[in-house]
């Protein structure tokens, strides 16, 4: 008999089943139902689980095997792209246009996909997570126009990436590299990218067995990070041209830094 995914309790504080119990077909489907309230979302991400809705179905929750991640010192930009960045006048900031980044991600074309999983319900839920200081975006600006962006959830010293977009050619690469640059400087070693695709692999993403990912991400999520809140001042303003250089060594004090 084919095993069915776990049916979540209507209680937003109820625990998820262990990620290792996710189905192999479809790969990573763990649970159905529930809601997108902040307690439920924080509980899910803390355990390496994320929502990925699909039209016509109850809310679906996933924990795929293997898991695609970036080492924050391992984002790979081609030599040609780095040469172009040296002449680039784009700037990069954080948490200055979260909802605009999410909306742009929802509208971005995805090869092999019709529509988007970033529904109005998802937009509203993650906007609330941003208001509470758990969801963050990195924005790439060409003047005052968005050239690219990325957003995700921060828990402890773990960042769970959700989606990114390019408004100009290369904008998403700059957003990803800038986010990884700062996470590495802060002593956050991993950036979750969820599911493998050729574009992510070309940028240096690697695959971890689910068991290893869940153990490592769980450790990092349980470590002291930053208090919930805006990253605008913490991130500062970065010139995209800075990303033409290799990433910096992490600060020795970063893993022990107390939340602000």
């Amino acid at each position: 008999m084919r095993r069915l995914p776990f049916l979540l309790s209507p209680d937003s504080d109820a625990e998820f089943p262990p990620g290792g119990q996710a189905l192999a077909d479809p790969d990573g489907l763990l649970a159905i139902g529930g809601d997108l309230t902040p307690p439920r979302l924080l509980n899910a991400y803390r355990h390496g689980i994320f929502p990925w809705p699909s039209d016509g179905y109850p809310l679906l929750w996933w924990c795929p095997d293997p898991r695609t991640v970036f080492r924050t010192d391992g984002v790979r930009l081609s030599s040609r792209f780095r040469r172009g960045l040296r002449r680039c006048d784009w700037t990069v900031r954080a948490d200055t246009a979260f909802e605009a980044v999410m909306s742009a991600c929802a509208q971005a074309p995805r090869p092999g996909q019709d529509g988007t999983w970033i529904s109005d319900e998802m937009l509203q839920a993650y906007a609330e997570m941003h208001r509470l200081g758990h969801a963050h975006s990195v924005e790439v600006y060409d003047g005052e126009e968005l050239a690219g962006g990325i957003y995700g959830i921060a828990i402890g010293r773990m960042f769970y990436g959700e989606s990114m977009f390019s408004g100009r050619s290369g904008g998403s690469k700059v957003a990803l590299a800038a986010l990884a640059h700062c996470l590495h400087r802060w002593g956050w070693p991993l950036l979750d990218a969820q599911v493998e695709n050729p574009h992510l692999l070309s940028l240096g993403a690697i695959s971890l067995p689910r068991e290893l990912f869940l153990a490592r991400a769980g450790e990092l999520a349980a470590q002291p990070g930053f208090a919930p809140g805006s990253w605008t001042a913490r991130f500062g303003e970065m010139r995209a041209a800075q990303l033409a250089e290799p990433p910096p060594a992490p600060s020795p004090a970063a893993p022990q830094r107390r939340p602000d």
Side-chain angles (χ1 to χ4, degrees):
M1 179 181 295
R2 181 170 179 173
R3 190 161 58 91
L4 298 175
F6 185 85
L7 180 62
L8 288 177
S9 162
D11 179 3
S12 294
D13 294 317
E15 290 295 318
F16 282 83
Q21 294 182 10
L23 303 182
D25 182 20
D27 177 33
L29 179 59
L30 176 67
I32 61 173
D35 51 46
L36 292 171
T37 58
R40 180 97 67 181
L41 285 169
L42 288 171
N43 190 16
Y45 281 101
R46 191 175 290 114
H47 294 92
I49 300 161
F50 58 88
W52 193 356
S54 182
D55 286 344
Y57 291 90
L59 188 56
L60 305 178
W61 301 85
W62 302 80
C63 189
D65 186 20
R67 191 66 162 252
T68 302
V69 302
F70 286 95
R71 298 189 316 271
T72 55
D73 62 350
V75 173
R76 186 169 62 238
L77 301 177
S78 70
S79 297
R80 180 179 180 181
F81 191 77
R82 288 182 184 274
R83 285 195 300 271
L85 283 179
R86 294 189 180 98
R87 302 184 301 274
C88 182
D89 60 0
W90 293 351
T91 56
V92 189
R93 306 168 205 157
D95 285 346
T96 61
F98 181 86
E99 292 185 49
V101 167
M102 258 200 96
S103 294
C105 288
Q107 297 165 17
R110 311 284 175 185
Q113 294 184 16
D114 294 324
T116 178
W117 74 95
I118 305 175
S119 62
D120 288 344
E121 184 183 14
M122 291 279 281
L123 284 163
Q124 292 168 12
Y126 284 75
E128 176 67 5
M129 289 286 280
H130 175 65
R131 188 187 70 79
L132 295 173
H134 302 297
H136 303 280
S137 59
V138 169
E139 302 92 24
V140 182
Y141 286 95
D142 180 2
E144 290 304 313
E145 297 293 323
L146 276 175
I150 188 171
Y151 76 95
I153 302 292
I155 301 180
R157 288 202 302 122
M158 184 68 200
F159 193 90
Y160 298 91
E162 271 293 309
S163 188
M164 57 185 180
F165 84 99
S166 288
R168 306 277 193 279
S169 178
S172 64
K173 294 181 184 179
V174 171
L176 172 66
L179 173 60
H181 175 99
C182 278
L183 293 176
H184 182 59
R185 177 162 54 86
W186 297 338
W188 298 35
L190 287 183
L191 193 170
D192 178 34
Q194 298 183 349
V195 179
E196 174 184 301
N197 65 47
H199 180 60
L200 296 178
L201 294 178
S202 74
L203 294 170
I206 60 174
S207 293
L208 295 181
R210 180 170 55 209
E211 183 178 1
L212 177 58
F213 169 80
L214 291 176
R216 186 68 177 123
E219 291 171 0
L220 291 169
Q223 292 179 14
F226 302 132
S230 172
W231 280 5
T232 301
R234 185 185 307 281
F235 190 95
E237 183 169 286
M238 178 189 301
R239 293 180 301 109
Q242 291 175 238
L243 300 169
E245 305 304 322
S251 166
Q256 291 80 38
R257 184 179 294 158
R258 295 179 61 83
D260 294 341

